[in-house]
C-alpha cells in the first residue's frame, strides 16, 4: 500500500489471514508515519516472545516522538518482559513513564507492563537520570503495586537503595 492508512490496513488484513510475518512487522516499526508504527506495535505483541530483533525494535519506540506510539511501546514492553528481557523492558518503561508521567493513560500502560518487574523498573527510573515532576506519582503507584502484592521478595526485588519505596510499602501494609 502506498498510503499510511493503506499500509496499516494491509498489515491488519495480513494478520487476520495469518499471512503476516515478523519481517513485515519489523519494517512497519520503522515506517515514517506514526499510525503505521502504532499498528505494527500492536501486531508485534504476539510475536515478541520468539524474536529478539522484534523486541529490540519495539523497545526502541519508547523514545518515539509520537505519544500514541509510546503508549503502544509501553504495552509491548510488558510482552518483552514476559519473554524474559526484563532489564531492557524496564528501561523502556522507565523512559515512557518519565516522558509521559502526566498522561494517566500512558502511566496506566507503563505500570500494567511493569507487573512482575517493579524492582527492575525502580532501578531503571533511578539510573535513568530522568526528569519529570510527575515521577513521584509513578513511584507512589509502584509502591501501591508492590504493597498489594504482599511480601513476596522473589517476585519483587527490593534492596537498601529502594528506601523510599520500601517505606511506602510499609505504610501501605499498616493500613
Amino acid at each position: 500500500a502506498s498510503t499510511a492508512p493503506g499500509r496499516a490496513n494491509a498489515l491488519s488484513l495480513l494478520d487476520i489471514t495469518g499471512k503476516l510475518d515478523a519481517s513485515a512487522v519489523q519494517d512497519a516499526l520503522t515506517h515514517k508515519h506514526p499510525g503505521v508504527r502504532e499498528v505494527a506495535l500492536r501486531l508485534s505483541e504476539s510475536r515478541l516472545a520468539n524474536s529478539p530483533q522484534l523486541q529490540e525494535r519495539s523497545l526502541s519506540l519508547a523514545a518515539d516522538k509520537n505519544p500514541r506510539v509510546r503508549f503502544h511501546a509501553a504495552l509491548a514492553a510488558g510482552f518483552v518482559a514476559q519473554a524474559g528481557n526484563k532489564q531492557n523492558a524496564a528501561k523502556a518503561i522507565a523512559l515512557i513513564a518519565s516522558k509521559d508521567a502526566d498522561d494517566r493513560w500512558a502511566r496506566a500502560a507503563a505500570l500494567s507492563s511493569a507487573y512482575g518487574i517493579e524492582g527492575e523498573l525502580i532501578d531503571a527510573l533511578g539510573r535513568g537520570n530522568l526528569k519529570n515532576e510527575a515521577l513521584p506519582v509513578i513511584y507512589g503507584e509502584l509502591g501501591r503495586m508492590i504493597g498489594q502484592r504482599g511480601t513476596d521478595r522473589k517476585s519483587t526485588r527490593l534492596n537498601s537503595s529502594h528506601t523510599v519505596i520500601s517505606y511506602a510499602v510499609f505504610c501501605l501494609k499498616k493500613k
Side-chain angles (χ1 to χ4, degrees):
S2 60
T3 66
R7 178 77 187 259
N9 287 335
L11 289 167
S12 295
L13 286 171
L14 286 169
D15 185 54
I16 289 168
T17 60
K19 295 181 181 178
L20 182 64
D21 62 12
S23 65
V25 176
Q26 274 190 293
D27 290 343
L29 288 170
T30 60
H31 195 275
K32 65 181 179 179
H33 193 278
V36 175
R37 295 191 305 275
E38 181 182 339
V39 169
L41 278 165
R42 186 175 45 78
L43 297 174
S44 74
E45 292 173 352
S46 64
R47 296 165 172 83
L48 289 168
N50 300 319
S51 177
Q53 298 86 3
L54 203 53
Q55 289 178 22
E56 184 179 334
R57 197 160 290 175
S58 294
L59 293 178
S60 73
L61 291 177
D64 198 274
K65 293 177 184 176
N66 186 282
R68 289 176 57 112
V69 172
R70 290 191 307 271
F71 173 84
H72 284 280
L75 295 173
F79 289 92
V80 172
Q82 289 174 2
N85 194 348
K86 294 178 180 183
Q87 296 294 327
N88 289 331
K91 287 177 190 175
I93 293 168
L95 179 61
I96 294 164
S98 172
K99 190 170 199 135
D100 297 319
D102 296 328
D103 179 345
R104 69 180 180 146
W105 296 109
R107 210 170 47 243
L111 290 170
S112 70
S113 291
Y115 184 82
I117 61 165
E118 293 93 343
E120 289 87 348
L121 179 55
I122 292 167
D123 285 344
L125 286 166
R127 289 187 193 138
N129 197 19
L130 305 170
K131 307 243 187 286
N132 186 310
E133 292 177 10
L135 277 175
V137 174
I138 296 290
Y139 281 114
E141 291 179 11
L142 275 169
R144 266 197 269 353
M145 287 171 64
I146 294 166
Q148 288 173 350
R149 179 160 325 141
T151 58
D152 179 7
R153 298 296 170 127
K154 291 179 184 174
S155 62
T156 304
R157 182 181 41 79
L158 297 175
N159 60 40
S160 60
S161 68
H162 304 125
T163 305
V164 173
I165 297 298
S166 297
Y167 181 72
V169 170
F170 173 77
C171 291
L172 287 170
K173 288 192 174 288
K174 289 290 188 185
K175 290 186 177 185

